[in-house]
Amino acid sequence: MTLFSWKLLFFRGLAALGFVLAALLDFPATMSLLVWFFVGYVFFDGVYSGLRLMQRGTGVCPRVLVGVKAILGIGAGCAVLVLALRGAQVPTLITIFSWILNP
């Protein structure tokens, strides 16, 4: 069991293309699109990581890392959703960009 997944990378690419197309079609709504695409992505990533925990794997460390990734993903999605609904754009962007920077 690894933290890398080709399926997840494929869905990330599709989401990125969808975001770019949506942003080009409706540029004034780019901030809202960024928030909703990010929330959808991290929820999907967190649930996907949680489902991977149910698979049989070797070693405790990878399972712990996948579990932490699942919890942090769902938590980041909730945080961005709450911040965006309250109109806090700068904390929302900081949360999104800090998630993007994680390795």
Side-chain angles (χ1 to χ4, degrees):
M1 180 187 319
T2 63
L3 292 175
F4 182 77
S5 168
W6 284 107
K7 292 176 190 174
L8 192 55
L9 184 63
F10 174 75
F11 285 117
R12 284 180 182 174
L14 286 180
L17 287 174
F19 173 74
V20 168
L21 290 174
L24 288 173
L25 293 174
D26 191 8
F27 188 73
T30 302
M31 181 63 182
S32 319
L33 288 170
L34 175 65
V35 168
W36 289 110
F37 270 89
F38 179 78
V39 168
Y41 166 71
V42 293
F43 280 146
F44 174 79
D45 190 29
V47 170
Y48 183 80
S49 295
L51 291 174
R52 288 181 57 207
L53 279 175
M54 294 180 208
Q55 296 175 348
R56 292 192 77 143
T58 58
V60 174
C61 186
R63 293 181 66 81
V64 170
L65 292 176
V66 171
V68 167
K69 183 179 179 205
I71 291 168
L72 287 177
I74 293 171
C78 291
V80 167
L81 191 58
V82 168
L83 289 170
L85 291 176
R86 290 187 178 174
Q89 288 187 353
V90 173
T92 301
L93 288 174
I94 290 171
T95 305
I96 291 172
F97 292 136
S98 64
W99 180 261
I100 291 169
L101 291 176
N102 85 30

